[in-house]
Amino acid sequence: MLIPITRERFETLIPLTATASQYAYYWGNWQNLVKQILFSLLGIFLVWLLSLTLHSQGLSLFLGIFAGLYWLWNPVAKASFRNAKYRRYPYSGFWQGEILDVYVTEEVIGTEETANAKGELVLVENRERRLNLELGDERGFLAKVQVPLRRQHQFISPGQTVHLLVMSEDPDLRRIAKLSDLYIPNRQIWVSDYPWLQREAFKEVSQQLGRGNRRRTPPPSRR
């Protein structure tokens, strides 16, 4: 089931600036916070050096505050920039389908050099267990989603209903360009790598469209 939504509703679901969950995503753990604070201190030091050649105390103060608060505004800037990549699509829709298959794989997410016991440099692969979901609907639309494996994913199984947002360049949503994070309403589980959606707002849309359209004729196929 695919239902087009208005631009106004779309911009509510994927807002211009960072949501709380998006901010937390880029905030990261305490090691990342320490790194961001160090960048802020380095920025303050560079601004101080620059102020020795500047003749504007006002500009130096502004740059100092801007650099000093880098750790605070950086997550907002990153999330807002990422949101803009999805907001550029002119058309969107609410999609309801079901999970066809669920399985776990181990993926290489990077490599790093380290020394072994003999002092030789060796390449070590960084691996991560990832959840794979195959999705489909009655119209034949198929999609595959892969995200880092989380504890709550143990409650996901084939046959469960899933709701998400789709984005397209086409007014009739014939070709889908992007998918949002997934919401499994009967378990209230979110599946995503990055939290694209304003989740409380999407839950309302899920309740309105997912429940209300079960008794209605499905919209024309996107294909």
Side-chain angles (χ1 to χ4, degrees), residues 10-154:
F10 171 72
E11 292 181 352
T12 299
L13 296 174
I14 299 185
L16 182 62
T17 57
T19 64
S21 56
Q22 291 170 353
Y23 189 89
Y25 176 90
Y26 278 112
W27 183 277
N29 53 29
W30 67 269
Q31 291 108 326
N32 184 66
L33 174 60
V34 170
K35 182 171 68 174
Q36 300 302 318
I37 292 176
L38 289 176
F39 278 133
S40 296
L41 294 175
L42 177 61
I44 292 174
F45 177 72
L46 293 176
V47 169
W48 176 76
L49 291 179
L50 184 63
S51 68
L52 299 179
T53 61
L54 293 175
H55 301 289
S56 174
Q57 292 184 348
L59 179 60
S60 298
L61 179 61
F62 171 78
L63 292 176
I65 294 174
F66 184 78
L69 294 178
Y70 171 83
W71 63 276
L72 190 61
W73 58 258
N74 182 54
V76 177
K78 286 184 175 179
S80 300
F81 179 77
R82 192 166 183 175
N83 289 353
K85 294 181 179 180
Y86 269 29
R87 286 170 61 91
R88 74 178 183 85
Y89 291 98
Y91 306 103
S92 59
F94 171 85
W95 183 78
Q96 175 177 296
E98 70 173 52
I99 299 173
L100 304 178
D101 195 13
V102 182
Y103 56 95
V104 176
T105 56
E106 193 173 77
E107 307 289 338
V108 177
I109 60 173
T111 59
E112 61 182 20
E113 286 189 344
T114 186
N116 60 18
K118 297 180 181 180
E120 301 170 332
L121 287 178
V122 294
L123 280 178
V124 177
E125 293 182 339
N126 296 321
R127 293 179 174 269
E128 180 181 61
R129 299 187 71 198
R130 299 182 73 87
L131 177 75
N132 297 265
L133 298 179
E134 293 182 3
L135 313 174
D137 65 9
E138 72 280 0
R139 291 294 186 178
F141 174 73
L142 299 174
K144 182 177 178 181
V145 176
Q146 186 184 79
V147 298
L149 186 64
R150 300 288 183 259
R151 179 174 298 180
Q152 65 267 27
H153 293 162
Q154 63 182 306

Side-chain angles (χ1 to χ4, degrees), residues 201-217:
F202 187 78
K203 282 183 180 181
E204 295 180 6
V205 173
S206 174
Q207 292 172 356
Q208 294 169 5
L209 301 183
R211 178 182 59 194
N213 283 275
R214 290 174 187 157
R215 298 185 295 273
R216 287 162 49 180
T217 301

Side-chain angles (χ1 to χ4, degrees), residues 10 31 40 112 161 164 170 172 179 195:
F10 171 72
Q31 291 108 326
S40 296
E112 61 182 20
T161 297
L164 55 86
D170 303 325
D172 59 359
L179 306 177

